[in-house]
Amino acid sequence: MAKNNRGYNIDYAEKKFIMNYKFAAAAKIYGSDEYVIYRNFLRDFPTFATVVESGRKQKTPRYNKRLTYKNMEKYISTFANSSELMEHFNCVKRKSAPLASPYKYVCDWFKAQFPDYKETTTLEVNNITISITAAPDETQYKHKEPVSAA
């Protein structure tokens, strides 16, 4: 298969012209470089199939995939001082509101507060008391842009 960095590949064995979604969008514009490449390819290889691939495939696992606020609350509820932890958790959520990425702020606090949260497989109530960790410094996070009324 011939490869290049222009957004398309030619698979001669499978008789396919494979292009990414950006190349496909640009090929629809009459007279663009991508249009000329695609038109010339179709003229040279009329029997080849055209395949449009979506964006880049996810190769690394998403570490926060199931770490939702609800799951954080369930985890917090398993500790002896869950009401105190929950109060602090809600405070951290309120502090995250003006930030551009509130979830990241809360998630960073949760991971600092419970560094071994992945190790616990059961959510049974236990008698462990956790000391509260301070929330991250808000100045290290990007804030939302103020909306101006025009």
Side-chain angles (χ1 to χ4, degrees):
M1 177 165 41
K3 290 194 174 216
N4 61 39
N5 292 328
R6 299 234 11 204
Y8 66 92
N9 296 324
I10 303 171
D11 188 348
Y12 294 101
E14 297 288 325
K15 294 187 175 188
K16 291 180 183 176
F17 182 79
I18 304 165
M19 60 179 133
N20 65 20
Y21 68 100
K22 288 182 181 179
F23 184 90
K28 292 179 182 179
I29 300 170
Y30 183 79
S32 67
D33 292 341
E34 291 83 357
Y35 173 83
V36 173
I37 291 169
Y38 185 56
R39 185 190 65 202
N40 290 338
F41 174 80
L42 289 177
R43 187 179 56 219
D44 294 343
F45 302 98
T47 60
F48 276 42
T50 301
V51 178
V52 178
E53 291 182 340
S54 61
R56 189 180 63 168
K57 293 178 178 72
Q58 179 86 22
K59 293 181 181 175
T60 57
R62 288 180 277 156
Y63 293 107
N64 297 336
K65 184 175 181 179
R66 296 195 177 164
L67 192 56
T68 61
Y69 287 159
K70 192 171 195 168
N71 287 340
M72 289 180 204
E73 289 171 1
K74 284 181 186 176
Y75 185 81
I76 290 170
S77 69
T78 64
F79 294 98
N81 60 338
S82 62
S83 60
E84 184 183 5
L85 289 167
M86 202 55 133
E87 212 174 286
H88 196 69
F89 175 68
N90 289 327
C91 179
V92 169
K93 283 198 313 188
R94 283 190 302 273
K95 283 177 71 176
S96 71
L99 302 177
S101 180
Y103 173 77
K104 183 178 179 347
Y105 182 79
V106 175
C107 194
D108 287 348
W109 170 81
F110 184 82
K111 287 178 180 178
Q113 179 69 48
F114 308 102
D116 58 345
Y117 74 94
K118 289 182 183 179
E119 305 301 319
T120 306
T121 55
T122 60
L123 292 178
E124 298 171 3
V125 177
N126 53 42
N127 292 328
I128 299 172
T129 302
I130 300 282
S131 59
I132 295 178
T133 305
D137 184 12
E138 293 174 32
T139 59
Q140 301 298 320
Y141 293 84
K142 186 177 177 183
H143 283 68
K144 292 179 184 174
E145 296 294 325
V147 179
S148 61

